Amino acid sequence: MLLLTPLYIINFWYILRIAIVSIHSQPNKQPFETPNMAEAQQKQRWFPLESNPGLINGYIEKLGYDTSLYEFCDVFSTEDWALDMIPQPVAAVIMLYPLTEKQTSAEGDGVIATEAMQDKVWFMKQRIGNACGTIGVLHALMNAPEPIRIFGQDSWLSTFARDTPIPLSPVSKAEILEQDSKIAQLHDDATSSEANSTSRGNLEDKLVTHFVALVCVDGKLYELDGRKDGPICHGSTSQATLLKDACQVIKKFMARDPDEMRFTITALAPKQT
């Protein structure tokens, strides 16, 4: 029996991630989109963001996030050996997953958070085509614990956070994003950066993968997906157990389509020196 060492798996995961981000911008003959998303795409459409921690860290710095304490890193597996490699406590998790029919047909399984819960979670709708990467990042940063929610003074993030408080409706937040030419430019700069592992493709390409964030707010684990009507509550968690609890949710996504390999996981974790 061939035993795979963690180092071998990490190298394999790195190669697989490059393949996934390449697929992320390839055409799909059967896109799975809600009517609201399709309508918004007629107004605006961005190039897709790559699931690449180095790229994303540079991007959020330009948005105004202070990465001196926390930054995104790869999570190579949902198994304990990989989770033990991640510095703790994790502030947020972002998953990139394939929008296959098996995935989208199971979307009704989630429980939308109650109104009382939603009043504590920063959530916005996605109405710009291919903007799921930026929206996943915003969901992660805006719901991070307050001590590490460090936005530079007069930065894009600080202004956007001020203009989109939690009580503002998810659609109203989306409208503000749609009218913001600066974030459109910053996103475009990120997708064309030399830090990308692959070409960003063509603007008309249909995505086959999608970003969602998993965060801990007030002791609850929330899945934040701009394609959905609101935060999805997955039960109790804590900052100390967020990574492991989030990976239990990710395993459920993987179980829906066990032959699929197009998953990547990144965590907003303490910066390693």
Side-chain angles (χ1 to χ4, degrees):
M1 178 181 293
L2 177 63
L3 297 178
L4 301 182
T5 66
L7 180 60
Y8 181 94
I9 296 174
I10 290 172
N11 290 335
F12 172 77
W13 182 265
Y14 178 75
I15 295 170
L16 178 62
R17 178 165 65 78
I18 292 177
I20 291 172
V21 296
S22 177
I23 293 170
H24 182 51
S25 60
Q26 296 303 310
N28 178 20
K29 294 181 180 179
Q30 293 181 322
F32 300 97
E33 301 170 339
T34 64
N36 287 340
M37 285 180 64
E39 181 181 349
Q41 287 182 4
Q42 295 175 6
K43 301 176 182 178
Q44 287 193 58
R45 190 174 182 83
W46 293 354
F47 285 99
L49 190 68
E50 188 173 280
S51 180
N52 175 336
L55 171 73
I56 292 174
N57 288 331
Y59 179 37
I60 62 177
E61 284 182 343
K62 291 180 179 179
L63 296 183
Y65 183 72
D66 183 351
T67 59
S68 63
L69 297 178
Y70 271 68
E71 65 180 4
F72 282 99
C73 63
D74 273 318
V75 181
F76 296 110
S77 171
T78 57
E79 297 180 6
D80 287 344
W81 67 263
L83 305 189
D84 291 342
M85 295 171 62
I86 308 302
Q88 295 292 330
V90 162
V93 176
I94 293 180
M95 169 182 65
L96 179 75
Y97 75 102
L99 281 179
T100 63
E101 188 171 3
K102 289 182 180 179
Q103 292 290 347
T104 57
S105 63
E107 286 185 346
D109 294 345
V111 178
I112 301 293
T114 65
E115 186 174 343
M117 293 177 182
Q118 292 186 39
D119 288 342
K120 300 177 181 179
V121 181
W122 192 96
F123 177 78
M124 73 176 296
K125 290 287 290 181
Q126 178 187 344
R127 306 201 315 176
I128 299 173
N130 298 350
C132 60
T134 285
I135 290 174
V137 166
L138 290 176
H139 278 145
L141 297 181
M142 295 295 189
N143 289 289
E146 188 171 355
I148 64 165
R149 205 183 311 145
I150 307 172
F151 304 157
Q153 186 176 5
D154 299 325
S155 67
W156 182 88
L157 267 175
S158 64
T159 301
F160 188 70
R162 181 197 65 207
D163 294 342
T164 58
I166 290 174
L168 190 68
S169 75
V171 170
S172 295
K173 292 186 182 79
E175 290 172 345
I176 291 173
L177 190 77
E178 291 163 9
Q179 297 165 11
D180 193 321
S181 60
K182 185 173 182 179
I183 186 59
Q185 185 60 58
L186 289 168
H187 177 103
D188 191 73
D189 290 346
T191 64
S192 60
S193 166
E194 292 182 356
N196 285 279
S197 300
T198 61
S199 167
R200 66 182 185 176
N202 298 314
L203 198 58
E204 296 77 19
D205 290 344
K206 301 293 185 181
L207 295 191
V208 295
T209 50
H210 183 64
F211 285 94
V212 300
L214 294 154
V215 301
C216 171
V217 178
D218 200 31
K220 299 291 184 181
L221 174 59
Y222 294 101
E223 169 197 336
L224 305 178
D225 181 347
R227 296 169 58 248
K228 298 181 179 179
D229 292 332
I232 305 297
C233 183
H234 288 281
S236 298
T237 190
S238 66
Q239 293 301 150
T241 63
L242 173 59
L243 180 59
K244 288 190 176 184
D245 293 338
C247 283
Q248 292 302 313
V249 174
I250 292 171
K251 285 180 180 179
K252 293 178 182 178
F253 277 80
M254 292 176 169
R256 295 173 185 169
D257 204 348
D259 295 329
E260 266 290 350
M261 300 291 288
R262 294 174 293 177
F263 287 84
T264 66
I265 308 168
T266 55
L268 184 61
K271 189 170 187 173
Q272 293 181 299
T273 57

